[in-house]
């Protein structure tokens, strides 16, 4: 679940903008001397939040079942519990999120390899899988690093260096253990009503993952590195990525109903090699295991600032209620038109509907 963080952090980033402008205005007051830079706290803004959301039609590639009418069910409901941290300091920002995804029985935990089926072929009603996913991003602003305003012009607010990493683990039979790093630039643009639009072209390197199905010894001895992976670990080649996110208050609404905002994000990740780490086994057509460009997006999230509506401006974004649409194509880089046995049915080429995720979901976020 490589990348669900920036829409959740949108409100925090907006608050960071308000906080920094507030410091500048306080320094201009004639009745109070401006603080020296040495007197300012190391972190100008610290924002911590917890969220709960429910996703009715999540997916996990390769996890699908057949309904009584013969149609394929490739979705599973997921409960999502998240903690997010955002901070602003003198030279940039830091963002961290960790989430737990609890799936329904259509996405089973080990020892099931598919709904109702164990690795030995026996029948079992395994519990839904649990995934832990963490993500970190840091920016270092050029205006701040070089003590200049040269990188602010028109709608362009700043250019920054950006670095980050992702990692996950899940208790299904596949036992993924993703590790990746990203590095590049971020271009930050201003939008109306205290909004922003960020674009980050990046290098993406997934240097480690795990796939128990490719481990030597599972389906025979095999040849390590050719027909199987010696310990199930899989590495990929570096590729490109582009991540974008935006946030904007709906400030054009009448003042008495200005409790709404919109946000969104999207990430494109280029092909990273063979999805199983074994290109010698990749076939053609539906039997191809080559990775494809991945799109992981939440194009729109509508947020209602419930705490502001009930308790006033002082408590803005302490409690948010939101609904969003999520679309994830070629999930984890898997070709949704190939990957026989995972994204398609090997015998027929029919889609398992598990490698593309399309769902409306909603949740509540609380600041503390």
């Amino acid at each position: 679940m490589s990348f669900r963080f920036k829409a959740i952090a949108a409100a925090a980033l907006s608050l960071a903008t308000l906080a920094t402008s507030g410091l500048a205005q306080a320094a201009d007051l004639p009745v109070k001397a401006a603080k020296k830079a040495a007197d300012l706290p190391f972190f100008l803004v610290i924002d911590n939040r917890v969220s709960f959301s429910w996703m009715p039609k999540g997916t996990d590639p390769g996890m699908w079942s057949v309904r009584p009418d013969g149609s394929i069910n490739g979705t599973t409901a997921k409960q999502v519990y998240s903690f997010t941290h955002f901070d602003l300091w003198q030279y940039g920002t830091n963002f961290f999120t960790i989430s737990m995804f609890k799936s329904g029985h259509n996405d089973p935990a080990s020892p099931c390899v598919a709904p109702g089926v164990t690795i030995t072929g026996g029948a079992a009603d395994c519990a839904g899988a649990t995934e832990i996913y963490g993500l970190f991003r840091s920016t270092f602003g050029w205006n701040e690093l070089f003590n200049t305003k040269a990188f602010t012009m028109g709608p362009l607010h700043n250019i920054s260096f950006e670095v980050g990493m992702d990692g996950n683990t899940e208790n299904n039979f596949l036992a993924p253990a993703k590790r990746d790093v990203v590095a590049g630039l971020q271009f930050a643009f201003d939008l109306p009503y205290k909004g922003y639009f960020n674009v980050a072209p990046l290098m993406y390197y997934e240097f480690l993952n795990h796939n128990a199905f490719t481990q030597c010894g599972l389906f025979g001895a095999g040849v390590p590195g050719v027909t199987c992976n010696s310990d199930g670990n899989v590495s990929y080649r570096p590729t490109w990525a582009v991540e974008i996110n935006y946030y904007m208050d709906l400030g054009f609404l009448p003042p008495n109903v200005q409790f709404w905002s919109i946000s969104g994000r999207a990430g494109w990740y280029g092909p990273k090699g063979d999805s199983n780490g074994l290109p010698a086994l990749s076939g053609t057509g539906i039997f191809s295991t080559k990775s494809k460009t991945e799109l992981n997006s939440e194009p729109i999230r509508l947020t209602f600032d419930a705490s502001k509506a009930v308790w006033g401006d002082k408590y803005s974004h302490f409690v948010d209620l939101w609904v969003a649409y999520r679309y994830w194509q070629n999930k984890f880089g898997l070709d949704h038109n190939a990957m026989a046995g995972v994204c398609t049915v090997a015998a027929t080429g029919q889609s398992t509907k598990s490698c593309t995720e399309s769902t409306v979901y909603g949740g509540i976020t609380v600041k503390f």
Side-chain angles (χ1 to χ4, degrees):
M1 328 308 275
S2 72
F3 176 57
R4 53 176 39 81
F5 69 102
K6 291 193 174 177
I8 299 174
L13 297 175
S14 179
L15 292 174
T17 304
L18 295 176
T20 51
S21 64
L23 287 171
Q25 292 165 4
D28 293 335
L29 292 176
V31 295
K32 187 175 182 180
K35 284 188 176 183
K36 297 179 181 179
D39 296 331
L40 292 175
F42 185 83
F43 292 111
L44 304 178
V45 172
I46 296 179
D47 190 282
N48 295 314
R49 296 165 187 260
V50 292
S51 297
F52 170 77
S53 57
W54 184 70
M55 190 179 300
K57 293 185 177 181
T59 65
D60 199 355
M63 295 297 107
W64 52 278
S65 58
V66 180
R67 298 186 181 97
D69 64 2
S71 63
I72 289 178
N73 178 16
T75 65
T76 183
K78 294 186 179 185
Q79 302 171 48
V80 187
Y81 305 85
S82 302
F83 166 78
T84 63
H85 166 86
F86 171 83
D87 66 67
L88 170 71
W89 66 300
Q90 182 178 356
Y91 294 107
T93 63
N94 298 298
F95 177 81
F96 169 77
T97 183
I98 186 166
S99 299
M100 181 181 80
F101 299 82
K102 178 60 177 175
S103 296
H105 287 234
N106 211 42
D107 178 20
S110 184
C112 285
V113 294
V117 182
T118 69
I119 184 61
T120 62
D125 186 19
C126 294
T130 299
E131 178 186 10
I132 304 296
Y133 195 99
L135 180 147
F136 176 75
R137 295 289 187 272
S138 283
T139 64
F140 301 88
W142 289 10
N143 282 332
E144 292 75 19
L145 289 173
F146 304 116
N147 192 26
T148 180
K149 291 295 183 182
F151 303 104
T152 298
M153 57 189 77
L156 179 65
H157 181 76
N158 204 353
I159 301 175
S160 303
F161 294 116
E162 181 172 329
V163 295
M165 62 186 304
D166 303 44
N168 89 317
T169 184
E170 189 172 5
N171 66 344
N172 58 13
F173 187 82
L174 181 74
K178 176 184 177 182
R179 306 291 183 268
D180 72 62
V181 294
V182 298
L185 299 177
Q186 176 184 269
F187 298 84
F189 298 88
D190 291 326
L191 290 178
Y193 306 112
K194 303 170 186 174
Y196 64 84
F197 181 85
N198 297 335
V199 181
L202 303 165
M203 180 279 296
Y204 173 91
Y205 178 35
E206 188 173 329
F207 59 89
L208 181 66
N209 209 323
H210 183 267
N211 183 347
F213 289 99
T214 68
Q215 188 160 336
C216 296
L218 181 62
F219 302 110
V223 180
V226 180
T227 63
C228 63
N229 292 309
S230 58
D231 56 3
N233 287 334
V234 182
S235 294
Y236 301 99
R237 60 176 175 79
T239 187
W240 58 269
V242 177
E243 297 177 352
I244 66 172
N245 67 103
Y246 74 91
Y247 173 88
M248 188 177 72
D249 291 331
L250 299 186
F252 53 82
L253 296 174
N256 61 335
V257 291
Q258 287 187 3
F259 312 127
W260 300 90
S261 60
I262 59 170
S263 57
R265 53 88 187 166
W268 290 266
Y269 305 89
K272 55 192 178 185
D274 189 86
S275 294
N276 291 329
L278 301 166
L281 295 185
S282 182
T284 59
I286 66 169
F287 295 99
S288 173
T289 56
K290 295 178 181 177
S291 61
K292 294 292 184 179
T293 298
E294 174 184 0
L295 168 60
N296 182 351
S297 67
E298 186 181 286
I300 188 166
R301 173 181 292 204
L302 180 64
T303 298
F304 174 66
D305 190 344
S307 53
K308 179 181 177 181
V310 175
W311 298 307
D313 290 348
K314 182 179 178 180
Y315 298 96
S316 181
H317 289 299
F318 273 70
V319 180
D320 286 336
L321 304 175
W322 50 267
V323 63
Y325 172 67
R326 174 182 172 97
Y327 181 75
W328 195 343
Q329 188 180 63
N330 295 332
K331 197 167 183 178
F332 308 135
L334 303 174
D335 186 349
H336 71 285
N337 290 318
M339 290 296 299
V342 178
C343 301
T344 58
V345 179
T348 64
Q350 183 181 4
S351 173
T352 65
K353 303 178 183 178
S354 66
C355 294
T356 296
E357 191 169 82
S358 178
T359 182
V360 174
Y361 73 117
I364 180 171
T365 300
V366 178
K367 177 183 175 182
F368 64 94

